[in-house]
Amino acid sequence: MEALTPEDPATIGPFRLLGRLGTGGMGRVYLARSAGGRTVAVKVVHPELAAQDEFRRRFAREVAALRKVGGSGTTPVLGADTEAEAPWVAIGYVAGPSLKAVVGSEYGPLPAGTVRVLAAGLARALERVHAAGLIHRDLKPANVLLAVDGPRIIDFGIARAVDTVTDGGLTSTGAVVGSPGFMSPEQVRGERLTPASDLFCLGSVLAYAATGRAPFGTADSGVHAMMFRIAHDEPDLEGLPPELDGLVRSCLAKDPADRPTAGELARAADEAADGADGPAGHEGAPTGTWLPTEVLAGLGRHAARLLDADGDPTPTDHPAALDPRADTPADAGPAPGPRPPRRRNLLVGACAALALALGGTALAVAYWPERGTPGGAEGGSATGTGTGTGSGTGGGTEVPAAFAGAWEGAIRGAADHPEETLRIEIGPGGTSVSSSHLTAERLCMGRSAVTGRGGDGRSITLIGSDVTLSLPAERCTPAPRHTLTLRSAQVVEWRSGAAGATLRKVESGPEVVPERFVGTWERRADEEVPDTPTDLYNERLVITQGPIGAPVLRLEQSNPELDEETGERTGRTLTCASTGVLAGSGDLLLVGPMQLDADASDRECRQNSLNAAPSSSGVLRVERVDGKERLLSAPFGEDTSYAVFARKY
């Protein structure tokens, strides 16, 4: 997803835009959120098409028909305005990758049982589409999304709106309406289309899912040559599992009359699954795990990224975050007075809890502003051992000695201020493989297994086998299939699907915190805010030695208790303490979201922790100024000023 630009609107209809998902031949697609919190995809028609009256009429008819499709296997229409200057339609967003991405780059051909469920799910979706009087016309791997509860068909109906001259596969200018390689013979010939055309395209999609290849080849030899093969040649089904042969070949019959209907194909797929004890349930509905474990892991990662994108992007002190029924931020409680400027630092959640305990008065200046975390998880206890060392086995795959050690780098952001990082640690021979994945809102650690190696010995393939630590809790899934390629003794390239990063060798073992970080560091509010009493508002960071996954950072804060009504000090000092787990230890020290230490914190901190925003991960570095060391800390992934701590001892 790309960030919005100044040219993009902030809202479309009742939907608030979060980012750009892509641009196609019909228009631009945005990720958006409804007032009720539902994630949607909003498609806005290109101006040149919106200027055509015939396109507008057909677009309106298609939207009206799409509303009638309903049911599972498709995405519901949640809003539309076909009369707007820029016509748009909003549909439910599916947090899952496309079949093209999974087969083409992330996993490879799918097992026969999965393809049977795919066939049943897509066929039943087409049955509803056809019952609504629609023909998809552009069924291809990129228009099939894989979700936990089954496949979804997207982008149907819009292509029909562009076809303003003929009812077949070609426009008056000879432009193809459809995707070469996944078209029907009648589309290629420009003939009138029937629902049987979608069944031929479905056969090609299923063949691709099972073999990793389009059955009529690619456009390398020319689009017209490929279209000739679709119209006249037999499909190339080499590698297709025998149990799928009947389903796929029946769809790829050249004569539309010889193909099954969508309902007939769905029933045939159900029967084939029942006979093979496949994963399909009643009427093709998936039960349990219908996708391979590695694909599910990638799907979980995909959903997690969506949560990152769909979190509240508006700071709580921004006017857009105010409750329209009140003059104070929503859910903020009583406002005792204006807040002074607030400073940012490493911790967010624990500091917000202490600010609430102090009554939210002017002296909350020492604490960072509240910030929401996608999913609303608070605190987040660790799951698993939390050691991060793991013992994923190599399954008999010998790992070249050059891969042994720890590798770390930024997936997003700059090396000196990353937005997302990955650390992979490999034991001798691949006997143990562990990973640490850090974003602003979560830390995920787990074990991996080596499943293969390149013939030249310079690349290995890994899959995630389990999660050893999730902060916040239950926010992580095993990593999908990924590869490491050795570039030099100090550099490897990491790839997972479309994502990639350069990882560099770093220290590994039970003591990986650089000595320059170890010690006690102190910061006082009066150093940044004039006229505050000395020694009343203290922050202390204690950094100890330890391995990745250990709680090596401790933040202790003390502030005077304030009367909620008068704002005067009561004479009592409140103390809150929190800890951070080590996630990375290269040139920077990276820690996961801070966790409140309830036993070492005053009751007010514990009581208010449920109302505070979850904390951010943190990044720290040490620099020397005028011969003295100082520790700089900031929230992970934010382009902001570092908070400065002086070494105490």
Side-chain angles (χ1 to χ4, degrees), residues 99-100 136 138-145 155 178-179 182 201 205:
L99 178 65
K100 179 180 179 181
H136 190 287
D138 197 19
L139 189 63
K140 58 184 178 181
N143 284 341
V144 174
L145 302 183
D155 283 348
S179 297
F182 295 93
C201 300
V205 167

Side-chain angles (χ1 to χ4, degrees), residues 47 79 95 156 161 254 263 377 400 441 464 478 484 492 501 515 551 568 571 576 586 589 649:
F156 51 85
K254 300 297 184 186
E441 290 83 14
L484 292 179
V492 296
E515 286 300 323
E568 298 294 329
C576 290
L589 204 65
Y649 48 82

Side-chain angles (χ1 to χ4, degrees), residues 302-369:
H302 183 94
R305 292 186 186 278
L306 170 64
L307 286 175
D308 283 339
D310 197 32
D312 186 355
T314 309
T316 55
D317 52 2
H318 190 283
L322 298 181
D323 187 330
R325 299 163 295 180
D327 294 326
T328 57
D331 301 324
R339 293 175 182 250
R342 293 178 292 184
R343 69 190 190 188
R344 291 185 177 272
N345 203 323
L346 171 68
L347 180 65
V348 176
C351 297
L354 182 53
L356 287 168
L358 295 172
T361 64
L363 295 179
V365 67
Y367 309 103
W368 306 281

Side-chain angles (χ1 to χ4, degrees), residues 495-508:
R495 298 291 301 179
S496 178
T502 298
L503 309 184
R504 302 186 182 279
K505 203 158 196 177
V506 294
E507 292 295 324
S508 61

Side-chain angles (χ1 to χ4, degrees), residues 101 165 250 254 284 417 464 513 523:
V165 177
S250 65
K254 300 297 184 186
H417 204 108
V513 178
R523 178 193 192 202

Side-chain angles (χ1 to χ4, degrees), residues 478-523:
R481 179 186 299 239
H482 48 160
T483 61
L484 292 179
T485 302
L486 195 67
R487 298 303 183 198
S488 71
Q490 299 297 317
V491 176
V492 296
E493 293 294 329
W494 169 84
R495 298 291 301 179
S496 178
T502 298
L503 309 184
R504 302 186 182 279
K505 203 158 196 177
V506 294
E507 292 295 324
S508 61
E511 297 185 348
V512 297
V513 178
E515 286 300 323
R516 64 183 180 276
F517 287 96
V518 176
T520 300
W521 308 80
E522 196 168 75
R523 178 193 192 202

Side-chain angles (χ1 to χ4, degrees), residues 223-239:
V223 173
H224 291 291
M226 181 179 60
M227 294 170 74
F228 179 89
R229 291 193 294 271
I230 291 173
H232 302 287
D233 291 353
E234 290 300 309
D236 175 12
L237 299 180
E238 182 179 356

Side-chain angles (χ1 to χ4, degrees), residues 232-451:
H232 302 287
D233 291 353
E234 290 300 309
D236 175 12
L237 299 180
E238 182 179 356
L240 184 72
E243 57 266 43
L244 297 176
D245 189 82
L247 290 176
V248 173
R249 287 189 185 277
S250 65
C251 294
L252 295 178
K254 300 297 184 186
D255 188 344
D258 293 336
R259 301 169 201 156
T261 66
E264 290 170 345
L265 181 66
R267 289 188 288 275
D270 286 343
E271 292 171 0
D274 290 340
D277 292 326
H282 178 63
E283 293 191 342
T287 59
T289 302
W290 76 282
L291 289 167
T293 301
E294 297 164 35
V295 177
L296 280 174
L299 193 152
R301 190 180 180 92
H302 183 94
R305 292 186 186 278
L306 170 64
L307 286 175
D308 283 339
D310 197 32
D312 186 355
T314 309
T316 55
D317 52 2
H318 190 283
L322 298 181
D323 187 330
R325 299 163 295 180
D327 294 326
T328 57
D331 301 324
R339 293 175 182 250
R342 293 178 292 184
R343 69 190 190 188
R344 291 185 177 272
N345 203 323
L346 171 68
L347 180 65
V348 176
C351 297
L354 182 53
L356 287 168
L358 295 172
T361 64
L363 295 179
V365 67
Y367 309 103
W368 306 281
E370 300 86 340
R371 201 176 90 183
T373 288
E378 168 58 34
S381 60
T383 60
T385 65
T387 63
T389 56
S391 60
T393 63
T397 301
E398 182 180 354
V399 177
F403 284 96
W407 309 86
E408 190 173 300
I411 299 177
R412 291 187 297 120
D416 60 347
H417 204 108
E419 299 176 23
E420 182 179 2
T421 64
L422 177 67
R423 178 186 174 104
I424 296 177
E425 193 161 339
I426 302 174
T431 54
S432 64
V433 183
S434 61
S435 62
S436 172
H437 178 218
L438 185 66
T439 69
E441 290 83 14
R442 70 177 61 87
L443 169 60
C444 300
M445 304 184 72
R447 300 181 180 93
S448 296
V450 181
T451 61

